[in-house]
């Protein structure tokens, strides 16, 4: 990513903030977003236009690499009307917890012979997904509501091309769960 991504992200947040004035999430769909903050500079507008607006989704995000952002940019991102919760992961302070989290949740015993230590980016990715999902769960407990569909997305996904929105809630690929009536189908995160 280019060195000017913080400025580009700031400008993108301003544009999305202007067009999202008055947006009210439907409450039926939640997006659990994780990934690198610098990628969001290129994908935030498309995420809003192609995923959030058509679905009325709330976004719960845990982003890495946001430590270099000015507080003003962080606050502007958090105040977008579709962002319901936002956290920034800190590589300097969270590295050991990421390794411990991985060992606790995803030991992958069959792969240990081939790959005894998974790539650090994968560890961060899965921890980000779980942490963003925890933000959603906290929101639901506090608000006394449940989202019918919860989809997990990454900041580096290709939002700029045309997408079938149903693909984002495909249980095999992205959905953490889809609740139908009283029954629910859950996939491990």
């Amino acid at each position: 990513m280019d060195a000017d991504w913080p400025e580009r992200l700031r400008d993108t947040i301003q544009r999305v903030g202007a067009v999202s004035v008055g947006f009210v999430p439907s409450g039926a769909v939640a997006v659990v977003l994780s990934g690198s903050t610098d990628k969001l500079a290129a994908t935030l507008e498309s995420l809003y236009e192609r995923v959030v607006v058509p679905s009325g989704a709330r976004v719960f995000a845990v982003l890495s690499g946001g430590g270099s952002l000015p507080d003003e940019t962080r606050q502007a991102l958090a105040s977008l009307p579709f962002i319901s919760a936002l956290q920034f992961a800190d590589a300097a302070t969270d590295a050991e917890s990421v390794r411990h989290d991985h060992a606790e949740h995803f030991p992958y015993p069959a792969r240990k012979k081939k790959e005894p230590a998974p790539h650090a980016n994968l560890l961060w990715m899965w921890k980000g997904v779980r942490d963003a999902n925890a933000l959603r769960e906290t929101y639901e407990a506090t608000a006394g509501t449940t989202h019918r569909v919860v989809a997990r997305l990454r900041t580096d996904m290709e939002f700029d091309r045309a997408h079938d929105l149903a693909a984002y809630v495909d249980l095999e690929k992205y959905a953490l769960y889809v609740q139908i009536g009283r029954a629910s189908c859950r996939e491990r995160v």
Side-chain angles (χ1 to χ4, degrees), residues 6-21 37 40 44 48 59 63 66 69-86 88:
E7 293 79 23
R8 288 188 303 109
L9 179 59
R10 180 200 60 220
D11 296 345
T12 301
I13 292 168
Q14 289 174 351
R15 286 192 303 274
V16 172
V19 298
S20 64
V21 170
T37 307
L40 204 55
L44 181 63
Y48 176 71
V59 175
L63 305 173
L69 289 176
D71 286 340
E72 180 181 288
T73 302
R74 288 173 169 229
Q75 292 168 357
L77 180 59
S79 69
L80 291 174
F82 56 92
I83 302 287
S84 293
L86 173 66
F88 291 95

Side-chain angles (χ1 to χ4, degrees), residues 42-111:
T43 61
L44 181 63
E45 285 177 295
S46 292
L47 170 68
Y48 176 71
E49 293 168 2
R50 297 182 184 268
V51 177
V52 172
V53 171
S55 67
R58 294 181 187 279
V59 175
F60 301 88
V62 172
L63 305 173
S64 61
S68 61
L69 289 176
D71 286 340
E72 180 181 288
T73 302
R74 288 173 169 229
Q75 292 168 357
L77 180 59
S79 69
L80 291 174
F82 56 92
I83 302 287
S84 293
L86 173 66
Q87 283 183 353
F88 291 95
D90 182 359
T93 59
D94 295 343
E96 186 56 37
S97 95
V98 167
R99 284 180 178 53
H100 176 71
D101 180 77
H102 178 75
E104 180 180 339
H105 293 285
F106 291 91
Y108 298 126
R111 293 195 54 145

